Amino acid sequence: MAKDRKIDLVILGLLFHEDLTGYDIKKRIDGAISFFWKGSFGSIYPALSEMEKSGLVKKRRAVDSGRREKILYHITDEGINALKEWLNVEQAANDLKYETMLKLYFGGAEEKGIALKNICYFEEQVKKDLAILQVYQKNLEKVLDKKDHIYYYLTVTFGIDTYEAYLKWCGRAKKYLEAC
Amino acid sequence: MAKDRKIDLVILGLLFHEDLTGYDIKKRIDGAISFFWKGSFGSIYPALSEMEKSGLVKKRRAVDSGRREKILYHITDEGINALKEWLNVEQAANDLKYETMLKLYFGGAEEKGIALKNICYFEEQVKKDLAILQVYQKNLEKVLDKKDHIYYYLTVTFGIDTYEAYLKWCGRAKKYLEAC
DNA sequence: ATCAGCATGTAAGGCGTTACATGATTCA
DNA sequence: TGAATCATGTAACGCCTTACATGCTGAT
């Protein structure tokens, strides 16, 4: 497996539960996962091809008579081992890029009003995303007894907790800036 | 300026206050900025060269008689305009990659204890980083009256607030997992 | 009939990291 | 004397995004 290509692990993690097409994988990533990891078709399809060559996944052609060709991928034992190995490694890269904070840090190059505006833009985006996460949370609360849903739930609460902290900070930051 | 290369703006933001060498810029980024943006020599030096060609910065050779050659860069009016333009654009990419959350999301592929361990690793890292941020905060509180320090201070409190939210979440997540 | 969604892929190119190469200075 | 820090840069390489190319299906 490619050394630093985390998309491989995302794919293996998703395939651990069920066989999926590349398109399905993209849809899953665009759901709750997108709050802490992203992926595009341009990275998913090549990754699937390479992982098939190295034996981590295998193809299962579902012809669905009449439908367009659709390739279901299935995780192999080797793939499961790779997934488990990764879970057992301590190292985890949490790589955060906040362009909003960059703009705020350099806010002194413009008037105070510009910095305030940028905080407001951020606040609006966070509110929208938080609303989405809260819907995920409600849906997950109904099925918490099911295997694995506890893990999905915890990542969603992580998002909610941090987004709520963002909003509190926005309120304080705006007051602080306005007052000075 | 390169369309999506944010390192250019980091450099311009830093040069807005004072002339710096590439080495200095790297040190600044490795300080408080590193909590929301990162940069390596391999990106800084080429960016400086290109920005000099396009007129955003210019060289000021400081020979310091006897010392090794040291290139001080100075921001131009064009550079200041580019910086201000960026600050005035609403769009800000806040791109977060939490490998820890990825591992937690797929935690069901291993025993519960592995997920707990991964939360603990995360917790330890966050505690260390939080301690560093608190030192920055204390130092900044002494000089809040100085121009621009308010902006540095706000980004540091942003980090502290989110890291504290992480820690609270870690406590709850561990209890939640242990209980089920 | 047309548009959104399903479905797979390639190509170009940008961004960025790591490692390497070089050498001076300063401090223990 | 040796290690750490100062200081600049290049090379190789990998990852990823965006845009493009293609075509079917199902709903309005």
Side-chain angles (χ1 to χ4, degrees), chain B residues 2-5 7 40 42-43 66-68:
Chain B
K3 219 190 70 176
D4 264 337
R5 210 176 46 191
I7 190 70
S40 62
S43 67
R67 271 249 179 83
R68 190 196 196 285

PDB file of all heavy atoms in Angstrom, chain B residues 2-5 7 40 42-43 66-68, chain C residues 14-19 22-26:
ATOM      1  N   ALA B   2       0.858  32.742  -7.361  1.00  0.00           N
ATOM      2  CA  ALA B   2       0.274  31.413  -7.594  1.00  0.00           C
ATOM      3  C   ALA B   2      -1.145  31.375  -7.028  1.00  0.00           C
ATOM      4  O   ALA B   2      -1.391  31.863  -5.927  1.00  0.00           O
ATOM      5  CB  ALA B   2       1.136  30.335  -6.949  1.00  0.00           C
ATOM      6  N   LYS B   3      -2.055  30.820  -7.761  1.00  0.00           N
ATOM      7  CA  LYS B   3      -3.484  30.918  -7.449  1.00  0.00           C
ATOM      8  C   LYS B   3      -3.874  30.351  -6.084  1.00  0.00           C
ATOM      9  O   LYS B   3      -4.599  30.990  -5.333  1.00  0.00           O
ATOM     10  CB  LYS B   3      -4.310  30.218  -8.540  1.00  0.00           C
ATOM     11  CG  LYS B   3      -5.581  30.952  -8.899  1.00  0.00           C
ATOM     12  CD  LYS B   3      -6.462  30.117  -9.796  1.00  0.00           C
ATOM     13  CE  LYS B   3      -7.067  28.924  -9.046  1.00  0.00           C
ATOM     14  NZ  LYS B   3      -7.995  28.133  -9.815  1.00  0.00           N
ATOM     15  N   ASP B   4      -3.417  29.170  -5.801  1.00  0.00           N
ATOM     16  CA  ASP B   4      -3.887  28.506  -4.581  1.00  0.00           C
ATOM     17  C   ASP B   4      -2.783  28.281  -3.550  1.00  0.00           C
ATOM     18  O   ASP B   4      -2.951  27.475  -2.649  1.00  0.00           O
ATOM     19  CB  ASP B   4      -4.527  27.164  -4.943  1.00  0.00           C
ATOM     20  CG  ASP B   4      -6.032  27.309  -5.065  1.00  0.00           C
ATOM     21  OD1 ASP B   4      -6.573  28.253  -4.466  1.00  0.00           O
ATOM     22  OD2 ASP B   4      -6.649  26.479  -5.751  1.00  0.00           O
ATOM     23  N   ARG B   5      -1.680  28.981  -3.727  1.00  0.00           N
ATOM     24  CA  ARG B   5      -0.575  28.734  -2.812  1.00  0.00           C
ATOM     25  C   ARG B   5      -0.621  29.710  -1.648  1.00  0.00           C
ATOM     26  O   ARG B   5      -0.151  30.829  -1.747  1.00  0.00           O
ATOM     27  CB  ARG B   5       0.747  28.826  -3.571  1.00  0.00           C
ATOM     28  CG  ARG B   5       1.826  27.938  -2.973  1.00  0.00           C
ATOM     29  CD  ARG B   5       3.066  27.990  -3.800  1.00  0.00           C
ATOM     30  NE  ARG B   5       3.375  29.373  -4.142  1.00  0.00           N
ATOM     31  CZ  ARG B   5       4.297  29.711  -5.034  1.00  0.00           C
ATOM     32  NH1 ARG B   5       4.957  28.787  -5.685  1.00  0.00           N
ATOM     33  NH2 ARG B   5       4.534  30.984  -5.271  1.00  0.00           N
ATOM     34  N   ILE B   7       0.982  29.757   1.067  1.00  0.00           N
ATOM     35  CA  ILE B   7       2.258  30.099   1.699  1.00  0.00           C
ATOM     36  C   ILE B   7       2.681  31.514   1.300  1.00  0.00           C
ATOM     37  O   ILE B   7       3.298  32.233   2.097  1.00  0.00           O
ATOM     38  CB  ILE B   7       3.352  29.056   1.343  1.00  0.00           C
ATOM     39  CG1 ILE B   7       4.613  29.253   2.190  1.00  0.00           C
ATOM     40  CG2 ILE B   7       3.707  29.085  -0.131  1.00  0.00           C
ATOM     41  CD1 ILE B   7       4.467  28.891   3.630  1.00  0.00           C
ATOM     42  N   SER B  40       7.277  24.416   5.056  1.00  0.00           N
ATOM     43  CA  SER B  40       8.638  23.871   5.101  1.00  0.00           C
ATOM     44  C   SER B  40       9.567  24.719   4.239  1.00  0.00           C
ATOM     45  O   SER B  40       9.117  25.491   3.400  1.00  0.00           O
ATOM     46  CB  SER B  40       8.626  22.435   4.593  1.00  0.00           C
ATOM     47  OG  SER B  40       8.185  22.400   3.244  1.00  0.00           O
ATOM     48  N   GLY B  42      11.270  23.784   1.857  1.00  0.00           N
ATOM     49  CA  GLY B  42      11.034  23.390   0.470  1.00  0.00           C
ATOM     50  C   GLY B  42       9.880  24.116  -0.190  1.00  0.00           C
ATOM     51  O   GLY B  42       9.732  24.074  -1.410  1.00  0.00           O
ATOM     52  N   SER B  43       9.055  24.756   0.594  1.00  0.00           N
ATOM     53  CA  SER B  43       7.984  25.558   0.004  1.00  0.00           C
ATOM     54  C   SER B  43       8.281  27.053   0.139  1.00  0.00           C
ATOM     55  O   SER B  43       7.894  27.845  -0.712  1.00  0.00           O
ATOM     56  CB  SER B  43       6.634  25.213   0.640  1.00  0.00           C
ATOM     57  OG  SER B  43       6.590  25.605   1.997  1.00  0.00           O
ATOM     58  N   GLY B  66      31.616  39.338   6.972  1.00  0.00           N
ATOM     59  CA  GLY B  66      32.197  38.126   7.530  1.00  0.00           C
ATOM     60  C   GLY B  66      31.202  36.982   7.636  1.00  0.00           C
ATOM     61  O   GLY B  66      31.538  35.833   7.408  1.00  0.00           O
ATOM     62  N   ARG B  67      29.992  37.349   7.934  1.00  0.00           N
ATOM     63  CA  ARG B  67      28.929  36.345   8.037  1.00  0.00           C
ATOM     64  C   ARG B  67      28.604  35.747   6.675  1.00  0.00           C
ATOM     65  O   ARG B  67      28.902  36.328   5.642  1.00  0.00           O
ATOM     66  CB  ARG B  67      27.661  37.006   8.573  1.00  0.00           C
ATOM     67  CG  ARG B  67      27.552  37.024  10.074  1.00  0.00           C
ATOM     68  CD  ARG B  67      26.420  36.087  10.553  1.00  0.00           C
ATOM     69  NE  ARG B  67      26.331  36.088  12.001  1.00  0.00           N
ATOM     70  CZ  ARG B  67      25.688  37.013  12.701  1.00  0.00           C
ATOM     71  NH1 ARG B  67      25.123  38.015  12.096  1.00  0.00           N
ATOM     72  NH2 ARG B  67      25.655  36.916  14.009  1.00  0.00           N
ATOM     73  N   ARG B  68      27.963  34.630   6.737  1.00  0.00           N
ATOM     74  CA  ARG B  68      27.489  33.985   5.515  1.00  0.00           C
ATOM     75  C   ARG B  68      26.431  34.870   4.873  1.00  0.00           C
ATOM     76  O   ARG B  68      25.749  35.627   5.559  1.00  0.00           O
ATOM     77  CB  ARG B  68      26.851  32.655   5.884  1.00  0.00           C
ATOM     78  CG  ARG B  68      26.544  31.782   4.677  1.00  0.00           C
ATOM     79  CD  ARG B  68      25.564  30.680   5.068  1.00  0.00           C
ATOM     80  NE  ARG B  68      25.527  29.618   4.079  1.00  0.00           N
ATOM     81  CZ  ARG B  68      24.930  29.727   2.910  1.00  0.00           C
ATOM     82  NH1 ARG B  68      24.359  30.842   2.550  1.00  0.00           N
ATOM     83  NH2 ARG B  68      24.926  28.704   2.072  1.00  0.00           N
TER      84      ARG B  68
ATOM     85  P    DG C  14       0.623  24.408 -13.008  1.00  0.00           P
ATOM     86  OP1  DG C  14       0.414  25.602 -13.823  1.00  0.00           O
ATOM     87  OP2  DG C  14       1.943  23.742 -12.989  1.00  0.00           O
ATOM     88  O5'  DG C  14       0.202  24.736 -11.515  1.00  0.00           O
ATOM     89  C5'  DG C  14      -1.167  24.633 -11.131  1.00  0.00           C
ATOM     90  C4'  DG C  14      -1.265  24.174  -9.704  1.00  0.00           C
ATOM     91  O4'  DG C  14      -1.134  22.736  -9.623  1.00  0.00           O
ATOM     92  C3'  DG C  14      -0.178  24.760  -8.809  1.00  0.00           C
ATOM     93  O3'  DG C  14      -0.814  25.263  -7.655  1.00  0.00           O
ATOM     94  C2'  DG C  14       0.746  23.575  -8.516  1.00  0.00           C
ATOM     95  C1'  DG C  14      -0.203  22.389  -8.604  1.00  0.00           C
ATOM     96  N9   DG C  14       0.403  21.120  -8.990  1.00  0.00           N
ATOM     97  C8   DG C  14       1.171  20.874 -10.104  1.00  0.00           C
ATOM     98  N7   DG C  14       1.568  19.625 -10.193  1.00  0.00           N
ATOM     99  C5   DG C  14       1.032  19.013  -9.072  1.00  0.00           C
ATOM    100  C6   DG C  14       1.123  17.659  -8.627  1.00  0.00           C
ATOM    101  O6   DG C  14       1.700  16.721  -9.163  1.00  0.00           O
ATOM    102  N1   DG C  14       0.430  17.466  -7.436  1.00  0.00           N
ATOM    103  C2   DG C  14      -0.255  18.442  -6.749  1.00  0.00           C
ATOM    104  N2   DG C  14      -0.858  18.065  -5.625  1.00  0.00           N
ATOM    105  N3   DG C  14      -0.346  19.708  -7.157  1.00  0.00           N
ATOM    106  C4   DG C  14       0.320  19.921  -8.321  1.00  0.00           C
ATOM    107  P    DC C  15      -0.099  26.246  -6.693  1.00  0.00           P
ATOM    108  OP1  DC C  15      -1.075  27.303  -6.358  1.00  0.00           O
ATOM    109  OP2  DC C  15       1.231  26.568  -7.239  1.00  0.00           O
ATOM    110  O5'  DC C  15       0.085  25.315  -5.427  1.00  0.00           O
ATOM    111  C5'  DC C  15      -1.018  24.529  -4.946  1.00  0.00           C
ATOM    112  C4'  DC C  15      -0.490  23.526  -3.960  1.00  0.00           C
ATOM    113  O4'  DC C  15       0.096  22.416  -4.668  1.00  0.00           O
ATOM    114  C3'  DC C  15       0.596  24.103  -3.051  1.00  0.00           C
ATOM    115  O3'  DC C  15       0.166  23.989  -1.708  1.00  0.00           O
ATOM    116  C2'  DC C  15       1.836  23.260  -3.366  1.00  0.00           C
ATOM    117  C1'  DC C  15       1.243  21.990  -3.983  1.00  0.00           C
ATOM    118  N1   DC C  15       2.105  21.296  -4.969  1.00  0.00           N
ATOM    119  C2   DC C  15       2.338  19.913  -4.826  1.00  0.00           C
ATOM    120  O2   DC C  15       1.834  19.316  -3.866  1.00  0.00           O
ATOM    121  N3   DC C  15       3.118  19.274  -5.739  1.00  0.00           N
ATOM    122  C4   DC C  15       3.643  19.951  -6.755  1.00  0.00           C
ATOM    123  N4   DC C  15       4.398  19.262  -7.630  1.00  0.00           N
ATOM    124  C5   DC C  15       3.409  21.357  -6.929  1.00  0.00           C
ATOM    125  C6   DC C  15       2.641  21.985  -6.013  1.00  0.00           C
ATOM    126  P    DG C  16       0.955  24.654  -0.531  1.00  0.00           P
ATOM    127  OP1  DG C  16      -0.019  25.017   0.508  1.00  0.00           O
ATOM    128  OP2  DG C  16       1.891  25.651  -1.097  1.00  0.00           O
ATOM    129  O5'  DG C  16       1.818  23.425  -0.002  1.00  0.00           O
ATOM    130  C5'  DG C  16       1.160  22.205   0.323  1.00  0.00           C
ATOM    131  C4'  DG C  16       2.201  21.141   0.513  1.00  0.00           C
ATOM    132  O4'  DG C  16       2.686  20.722  -0.772  1.00  0.00           O
ATOM    133  C3'  DG C  16       3.420  21.632   1.276  1.00  0.00           C
ATOM    134  O3'  DG C  16       3.423  21.050   2.575  1.00  0.00           O
ATOM    135  C2'  DG C  16       4.619  21.147   0.458  1.00  0.00           C
ATOM    136  C1'  DG C  16       4.008  20.272  -0.612  1.00  0.00           C
ATOM    137  N9   DG C  16       4.686  20.389  -1.901  1.00  0.00           N
ATOM    138  C8   DG C  16       4.869  21.511  -2.675  1.00  0.00           C
ATOM    139  N7   DG C  16       5.527  21.272  -3.776  1.00  0.00           N
ATOM    140  C5   DG C  16       5.809  19.923  -3.719  1.00  0.00           C
ATOM    141  C6   DG C  16       6.512  19.084  -4.621  1.00  0.00           C
ATOM    142  O6   DG C  16       7.041  19.396  -5.704  1.00  0.00           O
ATOM    143  N1   DG C  16       6.556  17.770  -4.171  1.00  0.00           N
ATOM    144  C2   DG C  16       6.010  17.315  -2.995  1.00  0.00           C
ATOM    145  N2   DG C  16       6.160  16.026  -2.714  1.00  0.00           N
ATOM    146  N3   DG C  16       5.346  18.075  -2.144  1.00  0.00           N
ATOM    147  C4   DG C  16       5.291  19.366  -2.566  1.00  0.00           C
ATOM    148  P    DT C  17       4.651  21.269   3.575  1.00  0.00           P
ATOM    149  OP1  DT C  17       4.058  21.590   4.876  1.00  0.00           O
ATOM    150  OP2  DT C  17       5.680  22.161   2.991  1.00  0.00           O
ATOM    151  O5'  DT C  17       5.266  19.799   3.669  1.00  0.00           O
ATOM    152  C5'  DT C  17       4.404  18.659   3.583  1.00  0.00           C
ATOM    153  C4'  DT C  17       5.253  17.416   3.374  1.00  0.00           C
ATOM    154  O4'  DT C  17       5.703  17.393   1.990  1.00  0.00           O
ATOM    155  C3'  DT C  17       6.507  17.409   4.250  1.00  0.00           C
ATOM    156  O3'  DT C  17       6.582  16.204   4.986  1.00  0.00           O
ATOM    157  C2'  DT C  17       7.666  17.586   3.268  1.00  0.00           C
ATOM    158  C1'  DT C  17       7.091  17.145   1.929  1.00  0.00           C
ATOM    159  N1   DT C  17       7.643  17.945   0.784  1.00  0.00           N
ATOM    160  C2   DT C  17       8.272  17.305  -0.249  1.00  0.00           C
ATOM    161  O2   DT C  17       8.439  16.093  -0.277  1.00  0.00           O
ATOM    162  N3   DT C  17       8.729  18.121  -1.261  1.00  0.00           N
ATOM    163  C4   DT C  17       8.613  19.494  -1.339  1.00  0.00           C
ATOM    164  O4   DT C  17       9.058  20.115  -2.306  1.00  0.00           O
ATOM    165  C5   DT C  17       7.935  20.113  -0.212  1.00  0.00           C
ATOM    166  C7   DT C  17       7.764  21.604  -0.197  1.00  0.00           C
ATOM    167  C6   DT C  17       7.486  19.322   0.776  1.00  0.00           C
ATOM    168  P    DT C  18       7.720  16.102   6.115  1.00  0.00           P
ATOM    169  OP1  DT C  18       7.128  15.319   7.213  1.00  0.00           O
ATOM    170  OP2  DT C  18       8.298  17.440   6.363  1.00  0.00           O
ATOM    171  O5'  DT C  18       8.849  15.224   5.406  1.00  0.00           O
ATOM    172  C5'  DT C  18       8.488  14.133   4.566  1.00  0.00           C
ATOM    173  C4'  DT C  18       9.741  13.592   3.905  1.00  0.00           C
ATOM    174  O4'  DT C  18      10.055  14.397   2.736  1.00  0.00           O
ATOM    175  C3'  DT C  18      10.980  13.612   4.801  1.00  0.00           C
ATOM    176  O3'  DT C  18      11.593  12.332   4.747  1.00  0.00           O
ATOM    177  C2'  DT C  18      11.853  14.736   4.229  1.00  0.00           C
ATOM    178  C1'  DT C  18      11.405  14.793   2.766  1.00  0.00           C
ATOM    179  N1   DT C  18      11.440  16.143   2.111  1.00  0.00           N
ATOM    180  C2   DT C  18      11.864  16.255   0.805  1.00  0.00           C
ATOM    181  O2   DT C  18      12.248  15.294   0.147  1.00  0.00           O
ATOM    182  N3   DT C  18      11.842  17.533   0.279  1.00  0.00           N
ATOM    183  C4   DT C  18      11.438  18.683   0.919  1.00  0.00           C
ATOM    184  O4   DT C  18      11.456  19.764   0.329  1.00  0.00           O
ATOM    185  C5   DT C  18      10.993  18.505   2.288  1.00  0.00           C
ATOM    186  C7   DT C  18      10.523  19.709   3.062  1.00  0.00           C
ATOM    187  C6   DT C  18      11.018  17.267   2.811  1.00  0.00           C
ATOM    188  P    DA C  19      12.932  12.012   5.613  1.00  0.00           P
ATOM    189  OP1  DA C  19      12.831  10.605   6.024  1.00  0.00           O
ATOM    190  OP2  DA C  19      13.157  13.083   6.610  1.00  0.00           O
ATOM    191  O5'  DA C  19      14.071  12.138   4.500  1.00  0.00           O
ATOM    192  C5'  DA C  19      13.776  11.764   3.153  1.00  0.00           C
ATOM    193  C4'  DA C  19      14.943  12.129   2.269  1.00  0.00           C
ATOM    194  O4'  DA C  19      14.746  13.471   1.740  1.00  0.00           O
ATOM    195  C3'  DA C  19      16.294  12.138   2.978  1.00  0.00           C
ATOM    196  O3'  DA C  19      17.243  11.491   2.135  1.00  0.00           O
ATOM    197  C2'  DA C  19      16.607  13.631   3.170  1.00  0.00           C
ATOM    198  C1'  DA C  19      15.905  14.237   1.955  1.00  0.00           C
ATOM    199  N9   DA C  19      15.484  15.635   2.110  1.00  0.00           N
ATOM    200  C8   DA C  19      14.910  16.230   3.207  1.00  0.00           C
ATOM    201  N7   DA C  19      14.633  17.516   3.043  1.00  0.00           N
ATOM    202  C5   DA C  19      15.062  17.785   1.765  1.00  0.00           C
ATOM    203  C6   DA C  19      15.064  18.963   0.986  1.00  0.00           C
ATOM    204  N6   DA C  19      14.583  20.133   1.416  1.00  0.00           N
ATOM    205  N1   DA C  19      15.575  18.884  -0.270  1.00  0.00           N
ATOM    206  C2   DA C  19      16.046  17.698  -0.699  1.00  0.00           C
ATOM    207  N3   DA C  19      16.104  16.528  -0.065  1.00  0.00           N
ATOM    208  C4   DA C  19      15.588  16.638   1.174  1.00  0.00           C
ATOM    209  P    DT C  22      28.054  18.429  -1.512  1.00  0.00           P
ATOM    210  OP1  DT C  22      28.866  18.328  -2.735  1.00  0.00           O
ATOM    211  OP2  DT C  22      28.260  17.494  -0.384  1.00  0.00           O
ATOM    212  O5'  DT C  22      28.194  19.899  -0.921  1.00  0.00           O
ATOM    213  C5'  DT C  22      27.397  20.965  -1.443  1.00  0.00           C
ATOM    214  C4'  DT C  22      27.482  22.135  -0.523  1.00  0.00           C
ATOM    215  O4'  DT C  22      26.324  22.130   0.361  1.00  0.00           O
ATOM    216  C3'  DT C  22      28.691  22.165   0.398  1.00  0.00           C
ATOM    217  O3'  DT C  22      29.587  23.169  -0.018  1.00  0.00           O
ATOM    218  C2'  DT C  22      28.130  22.439   1.798  1.00  0.00           C
ATOM    219  C1'  DT C  22      26.694  22.825   1.535  1.00  0.00           C
ATOM    220  N1   DT C  22      25.735  22.455   2.617  1.00  0.00           N
ATOM    221  C2   DT C  22      24.910  23.458   3.094  1.00  0.00           C
ATOM    222  O2   DT C  22      24.947  24.602   2.667  1.00  0.00           O
ATOM    223  N3   DT C  22      24.054  23.069   4.098  1.00  0.00           N
ATOM    224  C4   DT C  22      23.956  21.815   4.662  1.00  0.00           C
ATOM    225  O4   DT C  22      23.138  21.613   5.560  1.00  0.00           O
ATOM    226  C5   DT C  22      24.842  20.808   4.119  1.00  0.00           C
ATOM    227  C7   DT C  22      24.811  19.416   4.672  1.00  0.00           C
ATOM    228  C6   DT C  22      25.686  21.177   3.133  1.00  0.00           C
ATOM    229  P    DG C  23      31.133  23.203   0.522  1.00  0.00           P
ATOM    230  OP1  DG C  23      31.912  23.869  -0.544  1.00  0.00           O
ATOM    231  OP2  DG C  23      31.518  21.876   1.029  1.00  0.00           O
ATOM    232  O5'  DG C  23      31.048  24.194   1.764  1.00  0.00           O
ATOM    233  C5'  DG C  23      30.552  25.514   1.536  1.00  0.00           C
ATOM    234  C4'  DG C  23      30.117  26.081   2.840  1.00  0.00           C
ATOM    235  O4'  DG C  23      28.919  25.434   3.324  1.00  0.00           O
ATOM    236  C3'  DG C  23      31.135  25.907   3.986  1.00  0.00           C
ATOM    237  O3'  DG C  23      31.506  27.190   4.417  1.00  0.00           O
ATOM    238  C2'  DG C  23      30.347  25.191   5.063  1.00  0.00           C
ATOM    239  C1'  DG C  23      28.934  25.608   4.711  1.00  0.00           C
ATOM    240  N9   DG C  23      27.881  24.834   5.364  1.00  0.00           N
ATOM    241  C8   DG C  23      27.682  23.479   5.370  1.00  0.00           C
ATOM    242  N7   DG C  23      26.662  23.104   6.101  1.00  0.00           N
ATOM    243  C5   DG C  23      26.159  24.293   6.620  1.00  0.00           C
ATOM    244  C6   DG C  23      25.066  24.535   7.491  1.00  0.00           C
ATOM    245  O6   DG C  23      24.299  23.722   8.004  1.00  0.00           O
ATOM    246  N1   DG C  23      24.912  25.883   7.757  1.00  0.00           N
ATOM    247  C2   DG C  23      25.712  26.885   7.250  1.00  0.00           C
ATOM    248  N2   DG C  23      25.414  28.120   7.610  1.00  0.00           N
ATOM    249  N3   DG C  23      26.728  26.677   6.431  1.00  0.00           N
ATOM    250  C4   DG C  23      26.904  25.362   6.163  1.00  0.00           C
ATOM    251  P    DA C  24      32.765  27.551   5.179  1.00  0.00           P
ATOM    252  OP1  DA C  24      33.669  28.259   4.243  1.00  0.00           O
ATOM    253  OP2  DA C  24      33.260  26.375   5.941  1.00  0.00           O
ATOM    254  O5'  DA C  24      32.179  28.608   6.219  1.00  0.00           O
ATOM    255  C5'  DA C  24      31.470  29.755   5.713  1.00  0.00           C
ATOM    256  C4'  DA C  24      30.626  30.301   6.828  1.00  0.00           C
ATOM    257  O4'  DA C  24      29.593  29.331   7.134  1.00  0.00           O
ATOM    258  C3'  DA C  24      31.404  30.546   8.121  1.00  0.00           C
ATOM    259  O3'  DA C  24      31.222  31.903   8.527  1.00  0.00           O
ATOM    260  C2'  DA C  24      30.813  29.575   9.136  1.00  0.00           C
ATOM    261  C1'  DA C  24      29.476  29.172   8.535  1.00  0.00           C
ATOM    262  N9   DA C  24      29.143  27.766   8.769  1.00  0.00           N
ATOM    263  C8   DA C  24      29.744  26.664   8.219  1.00  0.00           C
ATOM    264  N7   DA C  24      29.209  25.524   8.611  1.00  0.00           N
ATOM    265  C5   DA C  24      28.198  25.916   9.480  1.00  0.00           C
ATOM    266  C6   DA C  24      27.260  25.182  10.231  1.00  0.00           C
ATOM    267  N6   DA C  24      27.189  23.852  10.211  1.00  0.00           N
ATOM    268  N1   DA C  24      26.394  25.889  11.004  1.00  0.00           N
ATOM    269  C2   DA C  24      26.477  27.222  11.010  1.00  0.00           C
ATOM    270  N3   DA C  24      27.304  28.024  10.340  1.00  0.00           N
ATOM    271  C4   DA C  24      28.142  27.288   9.585  1.00  0.00           C
ATOM    272  P    DT C  25      32.085  32.507   9.721  1.00  0.00           P
ATOM    273  OP1  DT C  25      32.162  33.964   9.480  1.00  0.00           O
ATOM    274  OP2  DT C  25      33.311  31.697   9.908  1.00  0.00           O
ATOM    275  O5'  DT C  25      31.138  32.268  10.973  1.00  0.00           O
ATOM    276  C5'  DT C  25      29.808  32.771  10.975  1.00  0.00           C
ATOM    277  C4'  DT C  25      29.089  32.282  12.224  1.00  0.00           C
ATOM    278  O4'  DT C  25      28.872  30.853  12.143  1.00  0.00           O
ATOM    279  C3'  DT C  25      29.827  32.537  13.536  1.00  0.00           C
ATOM    280  O3'  DT C  25      28.914  33.166  14.415  1.00  0.00           O
ATOM    281  C2'  DT C  25      30.230  31.139  14.009  1.00  0.00           C
ATOM    282  C1'  DT C  25      29.109  30.294  13.417  1.00  0.00           C
ATOM    283  N1   DT C  25      29.363  28.832  13.207  1.00  0.00           N
ATOM    284  C2   DT C  25      28.523  27.927  13.797  1.00  0.00           C
ATOM    285  O2   DT C  25      27.589  28.251  14.516  1.00  0.00           O
ATOM    286  N3   DT C  25      28.803  26.615  13.519  1.00  0.00           N
ATOM    287  C4   DT C  25      29.830  26.123  12.726  1.00  0.00           C
ATOM    288  O4   DT C  25      29.965  24.910  12.560  1.00  0.00           O
ATOM    289  C5   DT C  25      30.687  27.120  12.137  1.00  0.00           C
ATOM    290  C7   DT C  25      31.828  26.700  11.267  1.00  0.00           C
ATOM    291  C6   DT C  25      30.420  28.414  12.402  1.00  0.00           C
ATOM    292  P    DT C  26      29.470  34.068  15.671  1.00  0.00           P
ATOM    293  OP1  DT C  26      28.789  35.385  15.617  1.00  0.00           O
ATOM    294  OP2  DT C  26      30.943  33.975  15.743  1.00  0.00           O
ATOM    295  O5'  DT C  26      28.860  33.240  16.900  1.00  0.00           O
ATOM    296  C5'  DT C  26      27.526  32.740  16.828  1.00  0.00           C
ATOM    297  C4'  DT C  26      27.337  31.633  17.850  1.00  0.00           C
ATOM    298  O4'  DT C  26      27.776  30.360  17.309  1.00  0.00           O
ATOM    299  C3'  DT C  26      28.092  31.840  19.161  1.00  0.00           C
ATOM    300  O3'  DT C  26      27.211  31.534  20.218  1.00  0.00           O
ATOM    301  C2'  DT C  26      29.231  30.823  19.061  1.00  0.00           C
ATOM    302  C1'  DT C  26      28.532  29.699  18.306  1.00  0.00           C
ATOM    303  N1   DT C  26      29.395  28.699  17.592  1.00  0.00           N
ATOM    304  C2   DT C  26      29.003  27.376  17.602  1.00  0.00           C
ATOM    305  O2   DT C  26      28.001  26.980  18.177  1.00  0.00           O
ATOM    306  N3   DT C  26      29.825  26.514  16.908  1.00  0.00           N
ATOM    307  C4   DT C  26      30.986  26.842  16.224  1.00  0.00           C
ATOM    308  O4   DT C  26      31.630  25.980  15.651  1.00  0.00           O
ATOM    309  C5   DT C  26      31.343  28.247  16.244  1.00  0.00           C
ATOM    310  C7   DT C  26      32.582  28.702  15.538  1.00  0.00           C
ATOM    311  C6   DT C  26      30.535  29.100  16.934  1.00  0.00           C
TER     312       DT C  26
END
